[in-house]
Amino acid sequence: MAHPQVLRDMALFVEVAKRKSFSQAAVALDVPISSLSRRITQFETSIGLRLLDRTTRKLVLTPHGEAYYEQATRLVEEAQRTFDELIAQAKGPSGLLKIAAPPDPWVLHHLSVVAREYALRYAQVRVHLDLWPHLVDLAQDGYDLALAVGAPRETSMITRKVAQLENGLFAAPGYLDRAGRPGNPADLARHQAVMVGPPSASSASGSGASASGIWPLEREGETVSASVGRAVSSNSQAMARRLALAEHGIGLLQVIDVEQDVEAGRLERVLAEWHGPPSPIYLVTTSRLLPAKTRSFIAFASRRLAEQLAPRGVTLDEAELTALYDLQEA
C-alpha cells in the first residue's frame, strides 16, 4: 500500500509540472512556495531521480520527469474525479468553475444566459467567466474549460463541437454607395476588405476567412477563392464589425453578430448567396477525466448552446448532435 505522503507528493509534483512554475502552483495549492519547493526536493531525493530542472528563468521537466508526469497525471486526475463523484453524490457538483471564452458579441449574450441558467440549477457551483481574444493555456492558467471558435492548434486538447456559425459578407450602405455593390466574387478584388485574424495568412482563426487577401466562399456546393483588395484587419470579431460599420470595407463576419445591424439598415449583406466556411464552436478541456462541476456544465451548456445557435447558423450533422445529447449531467 502506498504511503500517504507519496500520494500527496505526487499531486504536488503534477501541479508544479502542469504550471511550470513553483509560484503559480503554490498559489493554486494555497501553500508557501518554500514548503512546496522543499517537498518536491525531498520527493526527488526519496526516489533518487531529478524530475525538474530549475533555473532562474524557467522550470523544465527532465526526461524522467516527463515520463513520470504522464503517469502521475492520470492517477491524480482519477483520484480527483473519484473524490468529486463522492462529493457530487452527497450535494451535487460544487466548487469554482473557471471558464475562458472569446469576447465575441454572440458569446457575451448567449454564454451569459447559459451561465446564469446553469448557476440557478447548480447552486453549489460558482461560475467565473474570463474573456480572452485567444485560447489560453487552460492548465497553466487554472481554467476548467474554454469556449473556442475554431479548433485549437494543440492536438492534445479534448474538443466537443456544440455549434457552427454562418459567415457572410457585409458592408455599410455608405461604403457600398461609394465603391459600388459587387455582382460576383471576382468583383471583390476592387474592394477594401475588413479581415478577421492575424496580419499573416491564417485560415485557422475560426472566422471563416484568412488575413492573406483571399476569401474561400461557398454557394450550394460550389467553392471559389475570392481575392480581395486593400484590407484592414483585427483579431476581434467585435472590432471587425465596428470597422465595417465605420465604412472601412466589406467584412466576412459571423451572421449572428450583425443581425441587428442588418435589420436597422446599418449593414447590408453582400453577395447573399455566397458564404464563408462555417465557424465551428467547441468546448475545450485538457482531459477526459473531468470533475463533476465541469462534466455537468459541458452537458448542460452543449445542449443549450446547440439549441440557441442552430437556428442562427449551420446545423450539426446527426452524429454530432447524437454525441451532444449522449452527454450525461452529473
Side-chain angles (χ1 to χ4, degrees):
M1 180 177 179
H3 191 281
Q5 188 59 53
V6 173
L7 301 179
R8 285 194 289 269
D9 287 344
M10 179 189 297
L12 296 178
F13 165 75
V14 167
E15 196 67 31
V16 172
K18 179 171 63 176
R19 299 177 184 277
K20 298 181 177 63
S21 166
F22 274 101
S23 59
Q24 291 183 23
V27 171
L29 295 165
D30 194 23
V31 298
I33 188 172
S34 57
S35 300
L36 179 59
S37 178
R38 183 169 61 253
R39 280 304 327 158
I40 295 299
T41 299
Q42 292 174 351
F43 185 48
E44 290 175 315
T45 301
S46 68
I47 60 179
L49 292 172
R50 194 166 185 80
L51 302 176
L52 297 165
D53 277 334
R54 307 156 176 82
T55 69
T56 56
R57 306 181 74 177
K58 62 180 180 179
L59 185 72
V60 297
L61 291 167
T62 66
H64 291 298
E66 289 180 354
Y68 183 68
Y69 175 63
E70 288 187 16
Q71 300 176 50
T73 298
R74 288 195 294 270
L75 293 173
V76 170
E77 287 180 345
E78 186 61 46
Q80 183 65 53
R81 180 175 178 177
T82 301
F83 177 78
D84 288 333
E85 293 285 359
L86 292 173
I87 297 297
Q89 289 176 21
K91 62 177 182 179
S94 63
L96 175 64
L97 181 69
K98 287 186 65 178
I99 304 170
D104 294 355
W106 71 266
V107 175
L108 301 181
H109 174 67
H110 290 283
L111 187 59
S112 63
V113 172
V114 170
R116 178 178 59 82
E117 293 176 349
Y118 175 84
L120 290 174
R121 175 177 292 194
Y122 298 98
Q124 300 299 320
V125 179
R126 293 175 292 122
V127 180
H128 177 79
L129 302 174
D130 272 348
L131 300 180
W132 296 89
H134 54 80
L135 185 60
V136 298
D137 187 325
L138 298 185
Q140 185 167 344
D141 295 327
Y143 290 96
D144 296 288
L145 72 151
L147 182 72
V149 181
R153 291 190 177 92
E154 291 187 36
T155 57
S156 61
M157 294 291 187
I158 309 301
T159 60
R160 299 163 178 83
K161 187 190 288 187
V162 298
Q164 295 190 111
L165 300 181
E166 180 186 358
N167 290 286
L169 297 164
F170 297 90
Y175 168 79
L176 295 172
D177 290 342
R178 292 196 315 271
R181 288 164 173 76
N184 57 67
D187 291 343
L188 293 172
R190 61 181 177 82
H191 280 272
Q192 294 179 192
V194 175
M195 296 288 193
V196 182
S200 59
S202 174
S203 59
S205 63
S207 66
S210 71
S212 62
I214 299 293
W215 275 335
L217 299 176
E218 303 171 354
R219 179 183 66 178
E220 297 180 352
E222 180 184 359
T223 301
V224 299
S225 295
S227 298
V228 294
R230 185 167 57 88
V232 59
S233 63
S234 173
N235 68 337
S236 164
Q237 278 279 337
M239 179 57 73
R241 168 183 164 272
R242 288 183 176 274
L243 290 169
L245 286 168
E247 303 184 5
H248 282 281
I250 298 174
L252 183 52
L253 306 173
Q254 291 168 357
V255 174
I256 194 173
D257 281 342
V258 298
E259 287 176 331
Q260 293 182 353
D261 297 314
V262 173
E263 291 175 4
R266 293 186 294 267
L267 288 177
E268 180 180 319
R269 186 149 188 179
V270 178
L271 300 175
E273 71 275 20
W274 291 93
H275 54 85
S279 298
I281 308 303
Y282 295 94
L283 288 176
V284 183
T285 61
T286 58
S287 172
R288 296 186 187 279
L289 296 174
L290 301 173
K293 61 182 180 181
T294 309
R295 287 190 295 109
S296 63
F297 183 85
I298 288 174
F300 182 88
S302 294
R303 294 166 190 156
R304 291 293 188 276
L305 288 172
E307 292 165 359
Q308 291 179 16
L309 300 179
R312 331 279 287 282
V314 182
T315 304
L316 300 181
D317 62 37
E318 186 175 346
E320 291 168 333
L321 285 171
T322 299
L324 283 185
Y325 282 86
D326 280 347
L327 290 171
Q328 297 297 314
E329 292 188 38

Coordinates of all heavy atoms in Angstrom, one line a residue, residues 138-178:
L138 N -5.0 26.4 -20.6 CA -6.0 26.0 -19.6 C -5.4 25.5 -18.3 O -5.7 25.9 -17.2 CB -7.0 24.9 -20.2 CG -7.9 25.3 -21.4 CD1 -8.8 24.2 -21.7 CD2 -8.6 26.6 -21.1
A139 N -4.4 24.6 -18.5 CA -3.8 24.0 -17.3 C -3.0 25.0 -16.5 O -3.1 25.2 -15.3 CB -2.9 22.8 -17.8
Q140 N -2.1 25.8 -17.2 CA -1.2 26.7 -16.6 C -2.0 27.8 -15.9 O -1.6 28.3 -14.9 CB -0.2 27.2 -17.5 CG 0.9 28.1 -16.9 CD 2.1 28.4 -17.8 OE1 2.3 27.7 -18.8 NE2 2.9 29.4 -17.4
D141 N -3.1 28.3 -16.6 CA -3.8 29.4 -16.1 C -5.0 29.0 -15.2 O -5.7 29.9 -14.7 CB -4.3 30.3 -17.2 CG -3.2 30.9 -18.0 OD1 -2.2 31.2 -17.4 OD2 -3.3 31.1 -19.2
G142 N -5.1 27.7 -14.9 CA -6.1 27.2 -13.9 C -7.6 27.3 -14.4 O -8.4 27.4 -13.5
Y143 N -7.8 27.1 -15.7 CA -9.2 27.1 -16.2 C -9.7 25.6 -16.3 O -8.9 24.7 -16.6 CB -9.3 27.7 -17.6 CG -9.1 29.2 -17.5 CD1 -7.8 29.8 -17.8 CD2 -10.1 30.1 -17.2 CE1 -7.7 31.2 -17.7 CE2 -10.0 31.4 -17.1 CZ -8.7 32.0 -17.4 OH -8.6 33.3 -17.3
D144 N -11.0 25.5 -16.0 CA -11.6 24.1 -16.1 C -11.9 23.8 -17.6 O -11.9 22.6 -18.0 CB -12.8 24.1 -15.3 CG -12.5 24.2 -13.8 OD1 -12.0 23.3 -13.2 OD2 -12.8 25.3 -13.2
L145 N -12.3 24.8 -18.3 CA -12.7 24.6 -19.7 C -12.7 25.9 -20.5 O -12.6 27.0 -19.8 CB -14.0 23.9 -19.9 CG -15.3 24.7 -19.6 CD1 -16.5 24.2 -20.4 CD2 -15.7 24.6 -18.1
A146 N -12.8 25.9 -21.8 CA -12.9 27.1 -22.6 C -13.9 26.9 -23.7 O -14.1 25.8 -24.1 CB -11.5 27.4 -23.2
L147 N -14.4 28.0 -24.1 CA -15.3 28.1 -25.3 C -14.4 28.6 -26.4 O -13.8 29.7 -26.2 CB -16.5 29.0 -25.1 CG -17.5 29.1 -26.3 CD1 -18.3 27.8 -26.4 CD2 -18.4 30.2 -26.0
A148 N -14.3 27.9 -27.5 CA -13.4 28.3 -28.6 C -14.1 28.4 -29.9 O -14.9 27.5 -30.2 CB -12.2 27.4 -28.7
V149 N -13.8 29.4 -30.7 CA -14.2 29.5 -32.1 C -13.1 29.0 -33.0 O -12.1 29.5 -33.1 CB -14.6 30.9 -32.5 CG1 -15.1 31.0 -33.9 CG2 -15.6 31.5 -31.5
G150 N -13.4 27.8 -33.6 CA -12.3 27.1 -34.3 C -11.6 26.1 -33.5 O -11.5 26.3 -32.3
A151 N -11.1 25.1 -34.1 CA -10.4 24.0 -33.4 C -9.0 24.5 -32.8 O -8.3 25.2 -33.5 CB -10.2 22.8 -34.2
P152 N -8.7 24.2 -31.6 CA -7.4 24.6 -31.0 C -6.2 24.0 -31.8 O -6.4 22.9 -32.4 CB -7.4 24.0 -29.6 CG -8.8 23.8 -29.3 CD -9.5 23.5 -30.6
R153 N -5.1 24.7 -31.9 CA -4.0 24.2 -32.7 C -3.3 23.0 -31.9 O -2.7 22.1 -32.5 CB -2.9 25.3 -32.9 CG -3.4 26.4 -33.8 CD -2.3 27.3 -34.2 NE -2.7 28.3 -35.2 CZ -3.1 29.5 -34.9 NH1 -3.3 29.8 -33.6 NH2 -3.5 30.3 -35.9
E154 N -3.4 23.0 -30.6 CA -2.8 21.9 -29.8 C -3.7 20.7 -29.9 O -4.8 20.7 -29.5 CB -2.7 22.3 -28.3 CG -1.7 23.4 -28.1 CD -1.5 23.7 -26.6 OE1 -1.5 22.7 -25.8 OE2 -1.2 24.8 -26.2
T155 N -3.1 19.6 -30.5 CA -3.9 18.4 -30.7 C -4.2 17.6 -29.4 O -5.0 16.7 -29.4 CB -3.1 17.5 -31.7 OG1 -1.8 17.2 -31.1 CG2 -2.9 18.1 -33.1
S156 N -3.5 18.0 -28.3 CA -3.7 17.3 -27.1 C -5.0 17.7 -26.4 O -5.5 17.1 -25.5 CB -2.5 17.6 -26.1 OG -2.4 19.0 -25.8
M157 N -5.6 18.8 -26.9 CA -6.8 19.3 -26.3 C -8.0 18.4 -26.6 O -8.1 17.8 -27.7 CB -7.2 20.7 -26.8 CG -6.2 21.8 -26.3 SD -6.3 22.1 -24.6 CE -5.1 23.5 -24.4
I158 N -8.9 18.3 -25.7 CA -10.2 17.5 -25.9 C -11.2 18.5 -26.3 O -11.5 19.4 -25.6 CB -10.6 16.7 -24.6 CG1 -9.4 15.9 -24.1 CG2 -11.8 15.8 -24.9 CD1 -8.8 14.9 -25.0
T159 N -11.8 18.3 -27.5 CA -12.8 19.2 -28.0 C -14.1 18.6 -28.2 O -14.2 17.4 -28.6 CB -12.3 19.8 -29.4 OG1 -12.2 18.7 -30.3 CG2 -11.0 20.6 -29.2
R160 N -15.2 19.3 -28.0 CA -16.6 18.9 -28.2 C -17.3 20.0 -29.0 O -17.5 21.1 -28.5 CB -17.3 18.7 -26.9 CG -16.6 17.6 -26.0 CD -17.1 17.7 -24.6 NE -16.5 16.7 -23.7 CZ -15.3 16.8 -23.2 NH1 -14.5 17.8 -23.4 NH2 -14.8 15.8 -22.4
K161 N -17.6 19.7 -30.2 CA -18.3 20.7 -31.1 C -19.7 20.8 -30.6 O -20.5 19.8 -30.5 CB -18.3 20.2 -32.5 CG -18.8 21.3 -33.5 CD -19.0 20.8 -34.9 CE -17.6 20.6 -35.6 NZ -17.8 20.3 -37.0
V162 N -20.2 22.1 -30.4 CA -21.5 22.3 -30.0 C -22.4 23.1 -31.0 O -23.6 23.2 -30.9 CB -21.5 23.1 -28.6 CG1 -20.9 22.3 -27.5 CG2 -20.8 24.5 -28.7
A163 N -21.7 23.8 -32.0 CA -22.5 24.5 -32.9 C -21.5 24.9 -34.1 O -20.3 24.7 -34.0 CB -23.1 25.8 -32.3
Q164 N -22.1 25.4 -35.2 CA -21.4 26.0 -36.3 C -22.1 27.3 -36.6 O -23.3 27.4 -36.7 CB -21.3 25.1 -37.5 CG -20.6 23.8 -37.3 CD -20.3 23.1 -38.6 OE1 -19.2 23.0 -39.0 NE2 -21.4 22.6 -39.1
L165 N -21.3 28.4 -36.8 CA -21.9 29.7 -37.1 C -21.7 30.0 -38.6 O -20.6 29.8 -39.1 CB -21.3 30.8 -36.2 CG -21.4 30.6 -34.7 CD1 -20.8 31.8 -34.0 CD2 -22.9 30.6 -34.3
E166 N -22.7 30.6 -39.2 CA -22.6 31.0 -40.6 C -21.8 32.3 -40.7 O -21.9 33.2 -39.9 CB -24.0 31.2 -41.2 CG -24.0 31.6 -42.6 CD -25.4 32.0 -43.1 OE1 -26.4 31.8 -42.4 OE2 -25.5 32.4 -44.3
N167 N -21.0 32.4 -41.8 CA -20.3 33.6 -42.1 C -20.7 34.2 -43.4 O -20.9 33.4 -44.4 CB -18.8 33.3 -42.2 CG -18.2 33.0 -40.8 OD1 -18.0 33.9 -40.0 ND2 -17.9 31.8 -40.5
G168 N -21.0 35.5 -43.4 CA -21.4 36.1 -44.7 C -20.7 37.4 -44.9 O -20.0 37.9 -44.1
L169 N -20.9 38.0 -46.1 CA -20.3 39.3 -46.5 C -21.2 40.4 -46.2 O -22.3 40.4 -46.6 CB -19.9 39.2 -48.0 CG -18.9 38.2 -48.4 CD1 -19.0 38.0 -49.9 CD2 -17.5 38.5 -48.0
F170 N -20.6 41.4 -45.4 CA -21.4 42.6 -45.0 C -20.6 43.9 -45.2 O -19.4 43.9 -45.0 CB -21.8 42.4 -43.6 CG -22.7 41.2 -43.3 CD1 -22.2 40.0 -43.0 CD2 -24.1 41.4 -43.4 CE1 -23.0 38.9 -42.7 CE2 -24.9 40.3 -43.2 CZ -24.4 39.0 -42.8
A171 N -21.3 44.9 -45.4 CA -20.7 46.2 -45.5 C -21.7 47.3 -45.2 O -22.9 47.1 -45.3 CB -20.1 46.5 -46.9
A172 N -21.3 48.5 -44.9 CA -22.1 49.6 -44.6 C -22.7 50.2 -45.9 O -22.0 50.2 -46.9 CB -21.4 50.7 -43.9
P173 N -24.0 50.5 -46.0 CA -24.5 51.1 -47.2 C -23.8 52.3 -47.7 O -23.6 52.5 -48.9 CB -26.0 51.5 -46.7 CG -26.3 50.6 -45.6 CD -25.0 50.4 -44.9
G174 N -23.2 53.1 -46.8 CA -22.4 54.3 -47.3 C -21.2 53.9 -48.1 O -20.9 54.5 -49.1
Y175 N -20.5 52.8 -47.6 CA -19.4 52.3 -48.3 C -19.8 51.8 -49.7 O -19.1 52.1 -50.7 CB -18.6 51.2 -47.6 CG -17.6 50.5 -48.4 CD1 -16.3 51.1 -48.6 CD2 -17.9 49.3 -49.0 CE1 -15.4 50.5 -49.5 CE2 -17.0 48.7 -49.8 CZ -15.8 49.2 -50.1 OH -14.8 48.6 -50.9
L176 N -20.9 51.0 -49.7 CA -21.3 50.4 -51.0 C -21.8 51.5 -52.0 O -21.6 51.3 -53.2 CB -22.4 49.4 -50.7 CG -22.0 48.2 -49.9 CD1 -23.2 47.3 -49.5 CD2 -20.9 47.3 -50.7
D177 N -22.4 52.5 -51.5 CA -22.8 53.6 -52.3 C -21.6 54.3 -53.0 O -21.7 54.7 -54.2 CB -23.6 54.7 -51.5 CG -25.0 54.2 -51.1 OD1 -25.5 53.2 -51.7 OD2 -25.5 54.8 -50.1
R178 N -20.5 54.4 -52.3 CA -19.3 55.0 -52.9 C -18.5 54.0 -53.8 O -18.1 54.4 -54.9 CB -18.3 55.4 -51.8 CG -18.8 56.6 -50.9 CD -17.6 57.1 -50.1 NE -16.8 56.1 -49.5 CZ -17.0 55.6 -48.3 NH1 -18.0 56.0 -47.6 NH2 -16.2 54.7 -47.8

